[in-house]
Amino acid sequence: MKLKLTILFVISQIGVLYGVEPFHFALLTDLHITQNTTAVEDLENSLKQINNTPEIEFVLVTGDVTEFGDKVSLEKAKELLDKLNIPYYITSGNHETKWSASGHTDFARIFGDDKFAFEHKGVRFFGFNTGPVLRMADGHVSPQDITWLKDELSKKEKTQPVILATHYPLQYGDVDNWYELTDAVRTHNIRAILGGHYHRNAVFAYDGIPGLINRSNLRAKADVGGYSVYSVTPDSLIAFEQIIGGEPKRWVALSMKEQYFDEKGSDRKYPDFSVNQFFPNVKEKWLMKTGTGIYSSPAIWKKNVFVGDDLGKLTSYNLKNGKKQWSFQTGQRIVGTPAVADGIVVFGSADKNIYGVNAKTGKQIWKIPTNEAVLGTVTIENGIAYIGGSDNSFRAIEVKSGKVNWIFDKLKGYVETKPLIINNKVIFGAWDTFLYALEKNTGNLVWQWTNGIKSTHYSPAAVWPVSANGKVFVVDPERAMTAIDLETGKTSWRTKQSMVRESIGISEDGNRIYAKTMQDSVVCYSSQSETPQKIWSDNVGFGYEHNPSMLVEKSGIVYGSTKNGLIFALEALTGKVIWKHKIGNSLVNTVLPTGKKTVLVTTASGEVSLLKYTP
């Protein structure tokens, strides 16, 4: 099929200056490849039509390539995309980063990278990931990717036209640090930012920079799917919607010459930190900006802080002043929180290993290879470390020697949670719809619980379970809190009245269960009652919230954090706000209180900080 586009090829002075030659390219987005759906057929139809359109010179693929981010679907997508007889350039979406047994490492292994940079006929193209890794939160451009983009842009003249490709729209409510990206690129000749996510055509402005959101490749309720075709001339960037078997329909055009935005941008785009003025007694005793995304919480041993990061480094900091002491490099990102005992830091890496590292020196003591990524958080009790992996296995390991005492290998999904050790049981959830209870000493299955929903997206897998009074408590993506009998695994009670999701906590005396709701509030329930009994609810004012960070009580104070940089402290008995502090605008991991007045914090934007409250 021939592409019928009417284009006036006018070589303007600006076109000569930039050296832009006319060309066409296609854009595919939101493919959502998985088994037993029409998504594969929709993609095959698009690829066949593109191959029969000789005017198209390359293809951009802008994320949500698969539904679950799993290896099988990714490999199937590559098998199909490789049938193109022209080059394609691909980046990932939130479905590749949130539900990924590999910790979003299979994507780069299969496709070569999750970002791209190339030049075509005078125009430069860059694509990069905008999804947080294994966390339900707003989109996020990692600090290391912003640094990469700035470095790449600096290699050529600022006047050369640039087109960026992302999955998420780069705007408030979609990407938490979108303003950092626009500030980083706005001094260059950015013509447009292309993407998907909304499954429809739309025109936005990201602090003045044109943003074009494109239709999904899926057919949805139509008979066939479709994609986008772009024409570039020295004068214009023109977007067409191409339905399978139909004629391309122009839906928007942008100038390749007009300046849409000024170099400064708008000050109104930046986050509001005024909350800190109302709580001046909270100070950042020290703050380290690592320049690398962090999706794990800190661990502490004596006066040392240990943090794993997005580039696979475990770093030790001095608790008193935040000074870096050493770093240990693994082969892939670290997303599970480490634990420390007997002077050994134990943690997993997406490089398919579990490590034991000397807490004082950072030297490796032992390493346990696994068959897949290890994304789980570690719990240590009596010299034994418990951790789940993505090879459908859960392990108990002697901390001093690295000896594996037992392996439970009957999971059907990966583990990211922190296991609970209680009454000779190890309890944890997996992304296979189940919560498991194993015998602590043998690894034998005692019981498994499910909320009854077959979709893995609703698994009780991100929550860190808590227990008291003969019950295990979890909250899950069905927005329910459940009390489960510790001995039998039977549901004692389950309630959706508070719209909680994946954040939970327990009081130091075990009598109260805390949870974040998805809008503004923290709720407290009794752990002693045989039916759901709310003790208090307090409006903390954090807005819409779905960051799976846990609530932690220490010395009568409940600490929590949000997807947009807020840390808060509440009175445990009443829920009354003691203080709030906004450290940034990105996800804050589960915080770690280090005393009655101090708390350790790590963020997706790469901060490590010790906050101190002075009454």
Side-chain angles (χ1 to χ4, degrees):
M1 177 181 175
K2 294 290 185 179
L3 178 68
K4 297 179 180 179
L5 302 176
T6 302
I7 299 174
L8 180 62
F9 295 127
V10 179
I11 306 299
S12 64
Q13 287 185 344
I14 197 164
V16 173
L17 175 64
Y18 295 151
V20 174
E21 302 175 33
F23 62 92
H24 311 300
F25 66 91
L27 186 146
L28 298 168
T29 191
D30 297 277
L31 316 179
H32 292 277
I33 297 298
T34 187
Q35 301 178 41
N36 303 319
T37 70
T38 58
V40 169
E41 182 182 345
D42 288 340
L43 180 55
E44 288 175 330
N45 290 338
S46 294
L47 299 178
K48 182 178 179 180
Q49 186 159 296
I50 291 171
N51 280 338
N52 289 328
T53 309
E55 290 86 355
I56 295 178
E57 300 181 35
F58 62 88
V59 178
L60 302 183
V61 186
T62 61
D64 278 5
V65 179
T66 65
E67 179 66 15
F68 298 105
D70 60 291
K71 187 191 313 183
V72 173
S73 297
L74 287 168
E75 289 175 341
K76 180 63 177 179
K78 185 175 189 301
E79 174 191 334
L80 296 171
L81 289 166
D82 284 349
K83 294 179 180 179
L84 284 165
N85 53 26
I86 53 176
Y88 69 89
Y89 305 91
I90 191 167
T91 188
S92 53
N94 54 295
H95 276 253
E96 279 79 56
T97 58
K98 172 62 183 92
W99 297 284
S100 171
S102 72
H104 190 47
T105 59
D106 276 344
F107 191 96
R109 180 183 61 80
I110 291 168
F111 290 105
D113 206 338
D114 68 346
K115 57 183 178 292
F116 59 78
F118 69 96
E119 183 174 333
H120 189 82
K121 294 185 176 180
V123 180
R124 304 178 76 193
F125 289 82
F126 299 93
F128 45 92
N129 173 45
T130 50
V133 178
L134 289 178
R135 299 292 182 263
M136 185 62 74
D138 291 346
H140 182 75
V141 184
S142 70
Q144 62 266 28
D145 279 356
I146 293 177
T147 299
W148 164 80
L149 183 58
K150 290 167 67 174
D151 289 345
E152 289 293 320
L153 287 171
S154 69
K155 294 176 182 178
K156 296 290 183 70
E157 294 292 332
K158 290 185 175 182
T159 54
Q160 185 171 11
V162 176
I163 294 175
L164 304 181
T166 66
H167 179 67
Y168 277 113
L170 289 172
Q171 61 181 0
Y172 175 81
D174 286 306
V175 174
D176 56 30
N177 64 335
W178 63 273
Y179 54 90
E180 293 180 344
L181 192 283
T182 57
D183 282 351
V185 304
R186 65 185 309 105
T187 57
H188 295 264
N189 186 17
I190 311 299
R191 304 319 308 167
I193 302 176
L194 313 181
H197 190 60
Y198 282 0
H199 291 222
R200 60 182 173 87
N201 297 326
V203 180
F204 294 124
Y206 308 142
D207 193 26
I209 301 175
L212 303 184
I213 295 303
N214 296 264
R215 62 153 296 148
S216 167
N217 188 70
L218 301 175
R219 68 186 69 180
K221 296 181 180 180
D223 294 330
V224 292
Y227 52 94
S228 299
V229 173
Y230 283 84
S231 289
V232 178
T233 77
D235 292 302
S236 303
L237 174 67
I238 309 168
F240 299 78
E241 180 175 6
Q242 176 65 73
I243 303 297
I244 300 302
E247 299 298 332
K249 295 181 179 180
R250 171 173 163 163
W251 64 275
V252 71
L254 300 174
S255 172
M256 287 291 284
K257 299 187 296 184
E258 181 183 350
Q259 181 76 344
Y260 291 99
F261 53 88
D262 62 53
E263 292 189 357
K264 182 176 183 299
S266 169
D267 291 337
R268 291 177 297 175
K269 66 193 175 191
Y270 299 114
D272 181 4
F273 288 88
S274 60
V275 64
N276 295 347
Q277 299 174 12
F278 294 99
F279 300 96
N281 291 344
V282 182
K283 302 293 184 183
E284 295 165 6
K285 188 173 181 182
W286 54 259
L287 173 68
M288 294 292 295
K289 294 192 173 184
T290 67
T292 304
I294 300 172
Y295 292 102
S296 65
S297 295
I300 189 171
W301 178 73
K302 296 184 177 180
K303 298 298 180 180
N304 307 289
V305 178
F306 306 96
V307 177
D309 70 26
D310 209 24
L311 293 180
K313 288 187 298 183
L314 180 79
T315 301
S316 171
Y317 299 93
N318 183 287
L319 177 61
K320 182 178 180 181
N321 56 28
K323 182 179 179 180
K324 178 181 174 179
Q325 299 176 140
W326 54 256
S327 284
F328 176 84
Q329 184 68 58
T330 72
Q332 287 287 0
R333 59 170 46 96
I334 301 168
V335 293
T337 300
V340 196
D342 300 319
I344 299 173
V345 189
V346 181
F347 63 99
S349 169
D351 71 359
K352 305 180 183 181
N353 289 289
I354 302 169
Y355 293 89
V357 171
N358 188 297
K360 293 181 179 179
T361 66
K363 302 297 182 182
Q364 179 179 306
I365 297 174
W366 50 260
K367 179 173 71 172
I368 300 170
T370 67
N371 294 321
E372 297 294 344
V374 184
L375 311 176
T377 286
V378 183
T379 297
I380 297 177
E381 184 189 74
N382 296 329
I384 305 298
Y386 301 89
I387 183 172
S390 296
D391 56 355
N392 294 340
S393 297
F394 189 94
R395 293 169 172 84
I397 303 164
E398 292 184 5
V399 171
K400 289 186 177 180
S401 66
K403 176 186 175 184
V404 178
N405 282 354
W406 52 257
I407 301 176
F408 178 80
D409 60 0
K410 295 179 175 58
L411 305 176
K412 296 180 181 179
Y414 65 96
V415 177
E416 68 167 278
T417 186
K418 180 178 181 178
L420 167 70
I421 313 298
I422 183 76
N423 285 16
N424 202 38
K425 294 179 180 64
V426 185
I427 298 171
F428 60 94
W431 285 104
D432 60 3
T433 75
F434 290 107
L435 185 78
Y436 293 85
L438 308 181
E439 288 185 358
K440 182 176 69 173
N441 297 323
T442 65
N444 293 330
L445 179 66
V446 179
W447 51 256
Q448 61 189 56
W449 174 91
T450 179
N451 58 23
I453 300 177
K454 294 182 179 180
S455 171
T456 58
H457 285 174
Y458 290 89
S459 301
V463 62
W464 296 2
V466 297
S467 180
N469 299 304
K471 302 181 186 71
V472 177
F473 298 88
V474 295
V475 287
D476 61 50
E478 203 191 1
R479 306 176 184 186
M481 177 186 290
T482 307
I484 303 163
D485 186 273
L486 177 60
E487 296 304 317
T488 66
K490 303 296 183 182
T491 300
S492 297
W493 54 257
R494 182 173 172 84
T495 179
K496 297 181 182 179
Q497 64 177 306
S498 294
M499 292 289 286
V500 295
R501 187 168 176 127
E502 294 167 297
S503 300
I504 202 168
I506 190 168
S507 62
E508 291 174 298
D509 61 13
N511 292 330
R512 297 176 303 281
I513 304 299
Y514 311 110
K516 276 188 302 182
T517 73
M518 294 184 68
Q519 188 67 49
D520 286 319
S521 297
V522 173
V523 293
C524 174
Y525 281 76
S526 171
S527 67
Q528 301 169 299
S529 63
E530 296 305 315
T531 58
Q533 184 179 35
K534 188 187 295 185
I535 299 174
W536 54 255
S537 176
D538 187 61
N539 187 337
V540 182
F542 45 65
Y544 178 68
E545 170 63 15
H546 54 344
N547 169 22
S549 58
M550 306 306 124
L551 296 159
V552 183
E553 180 184 331
K554 188 175 181 65
S555 302
I557 300 174
V558 180
Y559 298 91
S561 59
T562 74
K563 66 181 177 67
N564 290 127
L566 186 73
I567 302 103
F568 56 85
L570 313 176
E571 290 182 356
L573 294 178
T574 66
K576 181 181 177 181
V577 174
I578 300 172
W579 59 259
K580 294 189 283 187
H581 183 80
K582 189 171 175 66
I583 193 171
N585 206 50
S586 68
L587 175 150
V588 180
N589 301 296
T590 298
V591 300
L592 178 63
T594 60
K596 188 174 182 178
K597 301 174 183 178
T598 54
V599 59
L600 275 168
V601 174
T602 59
T603 74
S605 52
E607 288 86 8
V608 182
S609 182
L610 180 67
L611 302 182
K612 184 176 182 178
Y613 170 69
T614 305

